[in-house]
Amino acid sequence: MTAATRAPSAQAWADAFAEASNTDPEIQAHGKYFTCSYLLDATERSYVVEVQSGRVVNVAVDPGPLDVAYDFAIRASAETWRGFGEPVPAPMYHGIWAATFQRDMRLEGKVLVLMQNLRCITRQIELLRVVGAPV
Amino acid sequence: MSRISPVTGHYVTLEVDGLEYKVFYLENGTGQPLVCQHTAGCHNHQWRGLLEDDEITADYRVIAYDLPRHGKSDPPENAEWWKEEYKLTADHYVNFIVALCDALELEDPIFMGSSFGGNVALQLALRHPDRFAGVLSVEGADYSPGFYLDWWQHPHANAAQVCASGVWDLMAPQSPEADRWKTWFYYSQGSEAFKGDLHFYSVDHDLRGRLGEIDGDRCPVVMLTGEYDYLTTPEDSARTAGEIKNGAFIAMPEIGHFPMSENHATFRRYLLQGLQALQDVKAKSG
């Protein structure tokens, strides 16, 4: 990987992601009850995203094993997450259902909480097309 | 200039396997009937672009119906359907489509369906090759497991949003955002039927090992699949078409599992190829 294409630092990505979500019209319009936390595991980096009433209130970067609790986990290889970070993702890198059915993504933990918040989570993950890959 | 659409809606009452249905359908155009089935848990507005496509409706009578329990077609009139779990079977689905074509007195219709409609297109070609001039199986395959999930009706989640956002990834990022959101909107309306439809899609429909029995001379099969479809991939449809006599496969780049609904402008180019391919097979096999 060259310096030119290198992803930003993990903290810079976390800040950009929180900003994008908290200023997104769709999430702000429909996120009144969007409250949950999830682990975004990109193998080489990981984050715990904490959302309260539609606002990202914290993104923990590379948390230790017992540092931060979360409801569910979205895990995939760095290569898969990099596909999500393209402005127009290639087929099967275009969403968590697609990558779970056809690539190496896994949805673990309290999947019910994911389903309860699916509309806003789907939008949040699509923000990677603008923010860039988390790894 | 009038802004009244040439598309008209009608109800027709028919009986299938002892059940009476009052079926709603939209139609426009003249010529050979092109009977269109929406996807699971949805309704006939998915075909809104095709129904107003001047070029295609000049040559075909496009008929897009709501399967019972969808859109404006109610559950059976003569049964206490609320006392049973809805689980669509291949037998009943096939019998319904044939009964509808009979009730509308359609001669030589082409059947086109997407997703669970694409799968039933293969069932029709297998079971009723003399009733249809050909079938267009959109996003179809011999077997499509994995989507008969409890999440579609889980009482602790918002079923409307789970269904609508659960199928969001089936659409391509290139498709117009407004059309993807219309499709999402339709899916927020059909959660009660969605899971029962998927009983056919992922459980009861299984033509593995039987594709060779389809008479592709009498009823040609053309399959079309979008590259963003994670359920029935282009590889699945190509493999299926390859095992059917005269079977043709058309790959559709930059589109997903709901091509007619998410991006009719792109889909219609492939559809015209598919209709031509059907006519070519018919001409060749005399």
Side-chain angles (χ1 to χ4, degrees), chain A:
Chain A
M1 186 180 286
T2 66
T5 59
R6 194 174 181 84
S9 75
Q11 187 59 54
W13 182 87
D15 293 343
F17 178 77
E19 171 73 10
S21 183
N22 290 343
T23 58
D24 183 69
E26 188 185 325
I27 291 173
Q28 295 315 307
H30 300 286
K32 183 178 177 184
Y33 296 103
F34 178 24
T35 297
C36 63
S37 57
Y38 62 92
L39 174 70
L40 193 162
D41 180 355
T43 311
E44 296 168 17
R45 286 181 184 173
S46 65
Y47 308 82
V48 171
V49 178
E50 186 182 347
V51 188
Q52 287 181 7
S53 301
R55 290 194 62 81
V56 176
V57 294
N58 189 46
V59 181
V61 176
D62 290 325
L66 298 174
D67 280 352
V68 187
Y70 51 86
D71 295 312
F72 60 90
I74 307 174
R75 303 182 192 275
S77 64
E79 182 264 341
T80 292
W81 282 112
R82 287 179 186 127
F84 275 69
E86 296 292 327
V88 180
M92 311 313 156
Y93 298 94
H94 63 293
I96 60 174
W97 290 70
T100 300
F101 272 74
Q102 297 291 342
R103 291 293 178 268
D104 60 4
M105 187 165 276
R106 285 171 294 141
L107 307 174
E108 297 177 350
K110 294 177 184 169
V111 177
L112 176 60
V113 177
L114 166 63
M115 294 299 173
Q116 289 168 333
N117 294 281
L118 188 61
R119 177 179 187 166
C120 288
I121 293 283
T122 300
R123 176 60 190 159
Q124 232 175 19
I125 298 298
E126 272 194 6
L127 291 173
L128 301 194
R129 299 176 190 179
V130 180
V131 174
V135 63

Side-chain angles (χ1 to χ4, degrees), chain B residues 208-257:
Chain B
R208 288 175 297 175
R210 297 197 59 193
L211 297 169
E213 299 172 34
I214 294 176
D215 187 340
D217 287 325
R218 285 195 292 173
C219 185
V221 176
V222 175
M223 305 187 69
L224 307 95
T225 296
E227 67 172 342
Y228 279 86
D229 188 341
Y230 69 77
L231 278 177
T232 295
T233 64
E235 292 75 23
D236 293 329
S237 300
R239 181 196 70 246
T240 302
E243 294 180 33
I244 298 171
K245 186 182 182 188
N246 292 331
F249 171 66
I250 297 172
M252 301 192 290
E254 299 192 351
I255 205 163
H257 188 81

Side-chain angles (χ1 to χ4, degrees), chain B residues 150-168:
Chain B
D150 287 335
W151 294 117
W152 311 126
Q153 289 183 337
H154 198 296
H156 294 185
N158 180 332
Q161 291 193 354
V162 172
C163 293
S165 292
V167 302
W168 180 258

Side-chain angles (χ1 to χ4, degrees), chain B residues 11-14 20-24 66 68 72-75 77:
Chain B
Y11 292 97
V12 61
T13 298
L14 51 90
E20 184 179 288
Y21 294 118
K22 189 172 180 182
V23 180
F24 179 73
D66 286 339
K72 291 181 174 62
S73 293
D74 286 340
E77 304 289 334

